[in-house]
Amino acid sequence: MSAYIAPSQIAQRQLAYFEGKHVLVAGESEDLFPVELVNHCESVTVFTTNYGYYRQLQPYDQITSVFGAEFTGDTQADLVLLYWPKAKAEAEYLLAMLMAKLGDDTEIVVVGENRSGVKSIEKMFKPYGPITKFDSARRCSFYWGKCLNQPQPFDIQQWFKSYQVNYHNHQLTIKSLPGVFSHGQFDIGSQLLLDTLPTLSGKVLDFGCGAGVIGSVMAILNPSIELEMCDISALAVESSKETLAANGLKGKVFASDVYSNTSNDYKFIISNPPFHAGLDTSYSATETLLAQAPNYQNAHGELLIVANSFLKYQPIIEKAFGNCETLNKTNKFAIYHAQK
């Protein structure tokens, strides 16, 4: 079994494309293939919007790793290795940003699983130049192309989608970058969670804040709280910051890999937790969130989460807190509450 995800395995078959190049890796990369790549090219920089992946790369000083919503640093990169992201809009965003940054004559390699819609790159790359599929294996495709046309300047502000959410006579403006959960809509799970919340006080953490819907509503309904919001995605962190600003609200928004960067004295931890990583379903982050929650709360800490009814989160919460009650339930969702 290879230690690499399938898109990396297909890139590994085509190392000749990377010889002598300064490579910038971006997109849905999640393994240590960039570390191996160092042996085959001049330099490797990884730009990631995923804070967990950024932390994973920290021990490897032979590569430069950059975390953020936008790649702004100086770079010698002349070839982009793009791992096709699960959201097509995010691929468009990354292409527009990186091609504008690196300019024409930049080469690009795109790898991705066929089921993720990687074939869309054929049409998407047309404004920049030619791109051709050169290999397919392990249900993945390998494309090589070159930017021959001068790309349009990139302005991140133009990529925020803005939409209105009405909640209990409060109108909110939500600002969301491509690929961020709740991009362009108010999801039902979040609404059920907000409908069920008690009056909040003290320090409140909105975990997995996405575009900032839950955090913003909590701040409006409970103006005295000390609001903190975190997400593993830089795109979500920037979206939540913009959402707070658009509504004249205050809160600390930061990147965190589960509890890596949080405080440890929250009165409330509130979450509509994510359970997707890439194309596959992953519950590990949420299970860690639930199991360790009491360690990051004050003596009277409370946890409230919304989850799909079929997920077996109650036993984990019960074990962590010694109690777990279901406050609300629909056919699809359940609201769980626990108290220290």
Side-chain angles (χ1 to χ4, degrees):
M1 275 288 287
S2 170
Y4 295 150
I5 56 173
S8 293
Q9 291 176 44
I10 198 173
Q12 192 181 30
R13 287 162 48 122
Q14 301 291 347
L15 289 169
Y17 282 90
F18 304 102
E19 299 287 347
K21 295 291 178 187
H22 293 279
V23 180
L24 174 62
V25 180
E28 202 89 18
S29 173
E30 53 190 69
D31 60 25
L32 296 178
F33 178 64
V35 180
E36 180 188 333
L37 204 50
V38 171
N39 302 322
H40 304 277
C41 58
E42 290 300 307
S43 71
V44 176
T45 302
V46 178
F47 168 70
T48 180
T49 60
N50 183 304
Y51 191 65
Y53 186 53
Y54 173 74
R55 290 181 74 225
Q56 189 185 332
L57 295 176
Q58 286 312 285
Y60 302 94
D61 50 14
Q62 61 269 54
I63 58 178
T64 303
S65 48
V66 178
F67 169 77
E70 185 178 358
F71 183 68
T72 54
D74 293 332
T75 180
Q76 293 177 279
D78 50 16
L79 183 149
V80 172
L81 169 56
L82 178 66
Y83 285 76
W84 188 255
K86 62 180 179 285
K88 184 177 167 185
E90 190 176 338
E92 288 177 311
Y93 170 85
L94 290 170
L95 269 184
M97 182 213 318
L98 296 174
M99 292 300 118
K101 172 79 178 163
L102 303 180
D104 51 6
D105 264 357
T106 303
E107 295 179 36
I108 186 165
V109 166
V110 181
V111 290
E113 294 186 40
N114 298 332
R115 64 179 176 143
S116 70
V118 67
K119 192 177 192 295
S120 300
I121 192 63
E122 294 172 14
K123 190 174 177 186
M124 196 184 289
F125 199 73
K126 277 208 169 101
Y128 304 102
I131 195 160
T132 309
K133 183 171 163 178
F134 280 99
D135 195 7
S136 57
R138 301 188 181 279
R139 300 194 182 96
C140 288
S141 297
F142 177 103
Y143 287 86
W144 178 89
K146 192 166 190 177
C147 180
L148 298 179
N149 307 320
Q150 184 60 42
Q152 296 291 316
F154 180 80
D155 175 8
I156 193 170
Q157 288 301 323
Q158 294 176 350
W159 288 84
F160 282 98
K161 186 170 181 176
S162 196
Y163 62 101
Q164 301 297 310
V165 162
N166 289 303
Y167 187 79
H168 289 195
N169 301 321
H170 297 284
Q171 188 172 57
L172 284 160
T173 300
I174 308 301
K175 308 275 278 197
S176 176
L177 286 170
V180 176
F181 177 69
S182 188
H183 188 39
Q185 61 197 15
F186 193 3
D187 83 286
I188 298 159
S190 296
Q191 192 154 353
L192 186 70
L193 177 61
L194 290 168
D195 288 346
T196 313
L197 288 181
T199 302
L200 303 175
S201 59
K203 199 167 184 175
V204 179
L205 177 66
D206 172 10
F207 178 92
C209 58
V213 178
I214 292 172
S216 296
V217 172
M218 291 193 305
I220 282 177
L221 298 180
N222 309 272
S224 67
I225 61 171
E226 186 184 340
L227 176 66
E228 294 195 2
M229 301 161 73
C230 71
D231 203 288
I232 201 164
S233 160
L235 301 173
V237 169
E238 288 309 308
S239 298
S240 280
K241 284 178 179 175
E242 289 283 325
T243 295
L244 288 179
N247 297 286
L249 299 168
K250 286 191 166 46
K252 178 186 173 187
V253 189
F254 58 96
S256 191
D257 181 6
V258 194
Y259 290 112
S260 68
N261 289 47
T262 65
S263 302
N264 60 1
D265 58 348
Y266 297 106
K267 171 79 168 76
F268 288 94
I269 294 177
I270 290 165
S271 183
N272 180 352
F275 59 91
H276 287 286
L279 289 167
D280 301 308
T281 305
S282 171
Y283 306 105
S284 60
T286 301
E287 289 174 2
T288 305
L289 162 75
L290 304 178
Q292 295 184 10
N295 303 334
Y296 295 91
Q297 296 187 307
N298 66 22
H300 307 288
E302 293 182 53
L303 171 80
L304 290 112
I305 69 156
V306 57
N308 286 62
S309 303
F310 67 84
L311 296 173
K312 302 289 182 269
Y313 286 159
Q314 292 132 296
I316 303 170
I317 298 169
E318 184 88 43
K319 188 177 176 189
F321 284 88
N323 62 89
C324 176
E325 58 178 331
T326 305
L327 296 185
N328 209 338
K329 205 171 170 63
T330 65
N331 292 339
K332 195 173 177 193
F333 295 106
I335 308 296
Y336 300 120
H337 171 252
Q339 194 159 5
K340 274 175 86 169

